[in-house]
Amino acid sequence: MKKFLVLAFLVMVATPAHAQLRVDVSKGKIEPVPIAISPFYPERPEFAAFAKDIPDIITNNLRGSGLFKPLSPGAFIQNPASIQKDGPRFPEWRAINAQALVSGTVTQAPDGRTRVEFRLWDVFSQKQISGMAYMTTAQNWRRIAHIISDEVYKRITGEDGYFDSRIVYISETGSKINRIKRLAIMDQDGANHRYLTGEADLVLTPRFSPTSQEVTYMSYKGGKPRVYLYNIDTGRQDVLGDFPGITFAPRFAPDGGKIVMSMASAGNTDLYEMDLRSKKSRRLTQSPGIDTAPSYSPDGKQIVFESDRGGTQQIYVMGAGGGEARRITFGDGRYANPVWSPRGDLIAFIKMSKGQFYLGVIRPDGTGERLITQAYHVEGPSWSPNGRVLTFFKDSGGSVKLYTIDITGYNERVLPTPRDGSDPAWSPLNQ
Amino acid sequence: MAMASTLKNKWDDIPEGMKTPLIVSAIFHIAIVVIAFTGLPYLKRQPDPMESTAIPIEILPIAEMTTTNRPEVKSQPAPEKPPEEKPVVKEKPPAPPKVEAVEPPKEITPPKPKVVDKPKPKPVVPPPPTEKLEKPEPEEKPKEEAKPEDQQDFSKLLKNLQDSDPVVEEDLPESKTAEAPAPAAAGPISDTMTMSELDALRQQLSRCWSIQAGARYAEDLVVEVRLTVSPDRHVMSATIVDQWRYSQDSYFRAAADSAIRAVNSPQCETLVLNPDKYDQWKDMVVTFDPREML
């Protein structure tokens, strides 16, 4: 045995080492993932509408993200019943260049509710990579479609989705001098639109709570601009403290327990935080300039805000408890409206330079500034819950529209609203 | 014996004074005869051993461009034509894709119950399939190479309105395989992959790889894929080298899946490789590195 081992060792040593070929690929393409979203299989004729509509919503969601290219159902060879019975015939899906396939069924659960099941298949490796089933009442089918879209998005991109979320915004009608501004809410794709406030009071700057179905905003109710808290489920509105000055630009802390905002008093504007339970407030800045538009970092340890303390409007970062602030923007023009991304890697901002407005992103350390869209007037950036997409509004002089854009700077889209829309605020994922 | 005694008697008859000159004379005569047969001894120093060393000469075929995996040396002549000009021999891909038994849809345990309605919907387990999945048709052949799709600017994946430089189609960068083992270690120099062959492979894989632009810390999502390639240049297996990270990091997993899709995509089904150098590429590691693109 010993001899054999020695011999084997000698043979190994004597054999010249095989050098493995290594190839570095450092170029690729920016191409959405081709995905086939098959109509679902309805186990009963009464589910036929769901079996078509749910994949349609998934298709719209994934296409809207810009990261997927849903293939035309006209090219599909295998039908839903066959997928359900035999599983996917992968060569047929591969033949139409699908990299992923979504299939599903709609059935009735024993308790009478609707049961929707989906599976995500990797066409090249020919295996199922995700699958879930949901039971709900029939009227919730849209939400099921959004949840499935999120699952597919997450499995393919690695990031959480954002489709099962809502957007609150200011709906605008009327002339420029007699503008009616109401609080409105809708799904992220524009569906299920409804108004939250009446036409009587002017409302501005709504912000979603990151942890609950609450919105904070500024209203001129009673003639005095103050920050309010609105519970979407109950419809209840509360004034957030009674401050000696004008309060505005409120924003929630990541844990939902605090709000940071600006207060203008005695000719000076500084940042304040307020604990929502104890209603106690604390002053965070003491500069003689205007400090406003605060936004917490996702870990709640820092605040980014805009200030003209240095002579021009620029963006600063400081600890959440106040103290010394560090300027992070140094480019030409003025910077405003900073909003920290939920994933922490970027801060969105509005830049004004040479008569144009730009939407941009920058890293919290002040590096990597990029301007991703531009218009006569761009404002009000708000992040999707996964930090991948920004919503904002553009005023073209005639109408004000909501938009979304991917942080790469591509895939800019109009977000449909019944009337003009401004000041969008994205909710966290629905609970 | 008689002869010997006769010689002895004659020797005895020779007077004593003649015996010594006679012996000396005989020795000289013998020496002259020996030298006549063997030649004079060479009394100088030995000749320089270098003069007799053989010079091995290996006759090598001249490869198209270079014959090394190392990065191009500046002083070398430039390639005559870009690698993409090289006619790529597209062979008929062999029939059956590697189908291991396709797993039936597994029972799915949802990671978290999703609340859909007031009566909370419970994630449930989809039923196992009633039948096995069909095997792919052996005749199934991928379509021809995708037509040159809308070429995008590969130099920047992230838009920045501040960058006003015009978009310029750029060539693939120089080889980054400097860290690759010296080709000599793998075999005779004529068997190593040439720069043009490597570039062709690189370009082919680039066309199949979709970058995860915009992902968080996308620059850290460098994926190494180990490929086993059949002699007919089909990828037989592709495995992610960093399995631990694949199981832990959903961003990395998505990037890794994207790399696997690249090597399995129809455009990369038959790799652009020189069949004569099978030993060189039968087992390779491809690194998908998005850093230059971000």
Side-chain angles (χ1 to χ4, degrees):
Chain A
M1 183 64 187
K2 223 177 210 178
K3 278 182 182 172
F4 173 76
L5 286 174
V6 170
L7 191 63
F9 174 74
L10 288 176
V11 167
M12 282 167 58
V13 169
T15 307
H18 175 64
Q20 194 174 44
L21 179 65
R22 300 187 72 88
V23 180
D24 281 6
V25 179
S26 56
K27 298 282 180 189
K29 56 185 179 180
I30 329 162
E31 196 177 75
V33 177
I35 187 168
I37 301 163
S38 165
F40 284 11
Y41 173 69
E43 284 204 340
R44 289 183 183 186
E46 61 261 36
F47 295 133
F50 291 152
K52 177 187 175 299
D53 293 342
I54 290 174
D56 283 351
I57 299 285
I58 297 170
T59 300
N60 288 339
N61 281 339
L62 296 182
R63 180 181 288 122
S65 73
L67 304 181
F68 295 85
K69 183 172 73 179
L71 301 172
S72 166
F76 298 172
I77 301 166
Q78 194 178 13
N79 63 38
S82 167
I83 300 175
Q84 166 68 11
K85 183 167 175 279
D86 305 327
R89 292 195 294 268
F90 291 110
E92 291 178 7
W93 297 102
R94 192 182 166 105
I96 62 170
N97 200 29
Q99 294 189 5
L101 165 68
V102 177
S103 66
T105 58
V106 186
T107 62
Q108 190 168 41
D111 61 2
R113 288 184 294 163
T114 305
R115 181 175 182 276
V116 182
E117 158 189 326
F118 91 97
R119 291 164 197 246
L120 174 64
W121 309 85
D122 187 321
V123 172
F124 291 162
S125 62
Q126 307 192 3
K127 60 184 181 188
Q128 179 183 321
I129 54 176
S130 182
M132 297 280 279
Y134 307 94
M135 286 193 291
T136 183
T137 52
Q139 62 267 30
N140 262 340
W141 67 273
R142 281 193 79 91
R143 178 125 194 254
I144 294 282
H146 291 319
I147 291 171
I148 293 174
S149 304
D150 281 336
E151 289 292 335
V152 172
Y153 183 98
K154 179 167 187 178
R155 187 60 188 82
I156 302 281
T157 67
E159 302 185 62
D160 287 331
Y162 60 89
F163 304 115
D164 186 25
S165 62
R166 295 189 281 182
I167 289 174
V168 65
Y169 75 102
I170 302 297
S171 172
E172 299 188 19
T173 51
S175 65
K176 289 278 179 196
I177 45 171
N178 192 20
R179 201 77 166 156
I180 295 170
K181 295 191 174 188
R182 304 169 68 186
L183 201 57
I185 192 168
M186 61 185 179
D187 291 353
Q188 53 79 28
D189 59 356
N192 292 325
H193 185 278
R194 68 186 169 107
Y195 295 102
L196 298 177
T197 60
E199 296 185 352
D201 305 316
L202 187 72
V203 290
L204 293 171
T205 61
R207 304 284 180 250
F208 242 108
S209 163
T211 57
S212 64
Q213 294 301 308
E214 286 182 317
V215 176
T216 174
Y217 61 97
M218 193 183 86
S219 171
Y220 281 80
K221 197 174 182 179
K224 184 179 178 187
R226 286 186 293 189
V227 172
Y228 285 76
L229 201 57
Y230 185 100
N231 187 305
I232 294 170
D233 290 336
T234 64
R236 181 178 164 152
Q237 293 180 67
D238 291 314
V239 177
L240 203 64
D242 226 348
F243 296 95
I246 299 169
T247 53
F248 56 99
R251 205 176 282 274
F252 281 96
D255 65 2
K258 283 186 296 189
I259 278 181
V260 62
M261 59 195 161
S262 298
M263 184 166 75
S265 177
N268 189 21
T269 300
D270 279 310
L271 303 182
Y272 289 75
E273 70 168 18
M274 169 182 252
D275 188 295
L276 290 175
R277 290 173 209 92
S278 66
K279 302 282 183 191
K280 284 186 180 164
S281 60
R282 186 160 71 100
R283 186 173 182 172
L284 299 178
T285 61
Q286 311 245 6
S287 87
I290 297 173
D291 297 338
T292 186
S295 171
Y296 282 100
S297 60
D299 61 6
K301 292 180 177 169
Q302 296 178 87
I303 292 174
V304 62
F305 62 100
E306 67 172 76
S307 173
D308 62 358
R309 61 180 64 187
T312 61
Q313 205 173 350
Q314 297 291 340
I315 294 175
Y316 293 79
V317 171
M318 69 175 181
E324 196 174 338
R326 172 172 51 90
R327 180 174 163 182
I328 63 166
T329 53
F330 295 92
D332 296 335
R334 294 177 293 137
Y335 292 78
N337 250 237
V339 191
W340 215 307
S341 157
R343 68 184 196 188
D345 57 341
L346 293 171
I347 291 168
F349 61 84
I350 297 297
K351 178 173 180 171
M352 294 143 283
S353 177
K354 296 169 185 160
Q356 288 290 318
F357 279 64
Y358 300 87
L359 170 63
V361 291
I362 192 171
R363 295 196 191 102
D365 63 1
T367 62
E369 178 182 330
R370 279 190 297 122
L371 304 180
I372 59 177
T373 192
Q374 164 257 328
Y376 166 71
H377 184 199
V378 180
E379 225 171 312
S382 175
W383 290 97
S384 63
N386 66 351
R388 176 70 201 225
V389 181
L390 280 160
T391 180
F392 58 97
F393 71 94
K394 274 186 184 177
D395 182 352
S396 58
S399 62
V400 188
K401 296 283 179 206
L402 302 187
Y403 287 79
T404 59
I405 190 170
D406 190 85
I407 55 167
T408 55
Y410 297 97
N411 197 36
E412 184 171 326
R413 289 168 178 262
V414 176
L415 198 54
T417 50
R419 297 171 181 168
D420 280 3
S422 64
D423 263 343
W426 217 312
S427 81
L429 283 178
N430 289 326
Q431 303 296 313
Chain B
M1 277 306 283
M3 178 87 159
S5 65
T6 306
L7 284 174
K8 189 171 184 310
N9 293 335
K10 283 192 175 176
W11 179 259
D12 292 338
D13 293 342
I14 296 171
E16 281 301 318
M18 289 291 288
K19 280 185 180 174
T20 302
L22 191 61
I23 290 170
V24 171
S25 171
I27 288 171
F28 270 108
H29 276 88
I30 289 169
I32 286 167
V33 171
V34 169
I35 287 169
F37 278 99
T38 62
L40 281 168
Y42 193 85
L43 299 177
K44 286 189 177 176
R45 62 178 178 85
Q46 291 292 316
D48 190 344
M50 285 302 286
E51 289 174 18
S52 64
T53 304
I55 303 172
I57 298 173
E58 190 181 2
I59 300 176
L60 301 175
I62 298 171
E64 253 186 311
M65 295 168 71
T66 66
T67 52
T68 172
N69 279 350
R70 296 192 195 98
E72 204 171 13
V73 179
K74 289 219 168 66
S75 60
Q76 286 182 336
E80 288 174 17
K81 55 180 182 176
E84 59 264 33
E85 298 286 320
K86 199 173 119 188
V88 174
V89 182
K90 269 282 166 193
E91 283 188 352
K92 209 166 55 167
K98 51 284 152 159
V99 181
E100 307 108 31
V102 178
E103 287 181 17
K106 284 177 262 176
E107 291 196 343
I108 297 149
T109 310
K112 51 173 184 188
K114 296 269 178 182
V115 180
V116 172
D117 196 11
K118 290 300 180 203
K120 293 188 177 177
K122 290 180 294 194
V124 293
V125 176
T130 50
E131 293 183 41
K132 290 275 179 198
L133 302 180
E134 270 188 20
K135 292 211 172 200
E137 309 270 319
E139 287 78 28
E140 189 64 33
K141 291 188 180 65
K143 300 294 170 220
E144 284 75 271
E145 274 213 359
K147 3 165 186 31
E149 314 145 331
D150 37 11
Q151 287 293 317
Q152 303 191 50
D153 171 27
F154 287 166
S155 61
K156 277 275 180 218
L157 290 188
L158 306 178
K159 187 170 138 190
N160 187 356
L161 299 179
Q162 279 174 324
D163 294 343
S164 54
D165 295 341
V167 172
V168 179
E169 197 83 27
E170 63 174 38
D171 290 327
L172 284 177
E174 288 192 2
S175 166
K176 287 183 64 193
T177 52
E179 67 279 16
I189 196 165
S190 56
D191 289 342
T192 58
M193 299 275 286
T194 64
M195 186 72 86
S196 61
E197 289 167 344
L198 284 171
D199 279 348
L201 177 62
R202 217 175 272 133
Q203 283 199 6
Q204 183 189 24
L205 292 170
S206 296
R207 285 194 292 271
C208 299
W209 179 38
S210 290
I211 305 258
Q212 305 268 325
R216 183 170 58 176
Y217 309 126
E219 64 274 14
D220 293 337
L221 301 177
V222 178
V223 179
E224 284 188 328
V225 183
R226 182 172 182 177
L227 301 184
T228 311
V229 187
S230 66
D232 59 4
R233 301 174 291 149
H234 283 69
V235 176
M236 291 194 298
S237 72
T239 48
I240 301 299
V241 173
D242 193 345
Q243 285 292 328
W244 184 86
R245 194 175 172 198
Y246 184 84
S247 63
Q248 300 291 320
D249 179 348
S250 68
Y251 290 93
F252 181 78
R253 185 169 64 166
D257 285 347
S258 172
I260 294 287
R261 278 196 295 274
V263 297
N264 282 325
S265 73
Q267 295 100 314
C268 288
E269 194 167 47
T270 304
L271 295 176
V272 180
L273 292 164
N274 183 345
D276 297 336
K277 299 179 179 176
Y278 176 58
D279 277 349
Q280 288 294 306
W281 47 254
K282 64 185 177 186
D283 180 23
M284 67 170 103
V285 172
V286 179
T287 303
F288 291 92
D289 185 348
R291 282 175 291 195
E292 284 185 19
M293 303 273 299
L294 302 172

